[in-house]
Amino acid sequence: MAEARRRTGPAGRVLAVEVGEAGRRRIERLGVADAVLALDATQATEVLAAVEEATAGRLCDVVISCVSVPNAEMAAILACRDGGAVLFFSMATSFSQAALGAEGVGKDVRLFMGNGYAKGHAELALDWVRRDPALRALFAELTA
């Protein structure tokens, strides 16, 4: 989310969906999201309604789904605008369910499946932890 915040700039908006109260507090404490929606990502229509409200019906240009439970594919797809992109980055994702689900609801989105490696990812992540005291503190809290 910190990188999304940087890339969207002041005109962009970053939304987070988090079911757990502790997770929501962490995101709010970091200040990387414009809105933290208290939602269960397996409830696709609830996520869609909340994202529509948060974006005045425009939906999201990019959705990154790193949900660690099954059946969250449709929430990510529905939250994305036609022509947008959805990156699934979880081993709980059913790629066939995502592809068939997008087709089934007539959603024209680009679907990407993360594989755990992207050139420069380690340097980018470590740079964030080094230069952002709040992110470094959270990293220490979660890994200590």
Side-chain angles (χ1 to χ4, degrees), residues 2 4 29 31-32 36 52 57 86 104 107 116 132 140:
R29 194 170 64 221
V32 293
V36 182
E52 283 179 323
V86 181
K107 203 63 145 136
D132 187 312

Side-chain angles (χ1 to χ4, degrees), residues 39-140:
L39 297 165
D40 178 344
T42 66
Q43 303 302 309
T45 56
E46 291 176 17
V47 171
L48 172 60
V51 170
E52 283 179 323
E53 184 177 333
T55 63
R58 292 181 15 201
L59 302 178
C60 299
D61 295 321
V62 177
V63 175
I64 301 170
S65 177
C66 50
V67 179
S68 60
V69 297
N71 300 316
E73 297 84 357
M74 285 308 298
I77 290 165
L78 291 177
C80 192
R81 69 165 173 79
D82 279 342
V86 181
L87 170 62
F88 292 102
F89 205 89
S90 167
M91 298 306 357
T93 300
S94 167
F95 305 124
S96 57
Q97 188 172 335
L100 292 172
E103 181 180 349
V105 296
K107 203 63 145 136
D108 182 20
V109 295
R110 292 170 290 144
L111 303 176
F112 296 93
M113 309 308 170
N115 68 358
Y117 179 80
K119 193 172 217 160
H121 78 286
E123 293 83 6
L124 179 70
L126 289 172
D127 184 51
W128 269 109
V129 171
R130 286 181 187 119
R131 68 185 158 114
D132 187 312
L135 191 57
R136 186 171 46 254
L138 176 61
F139 182 77

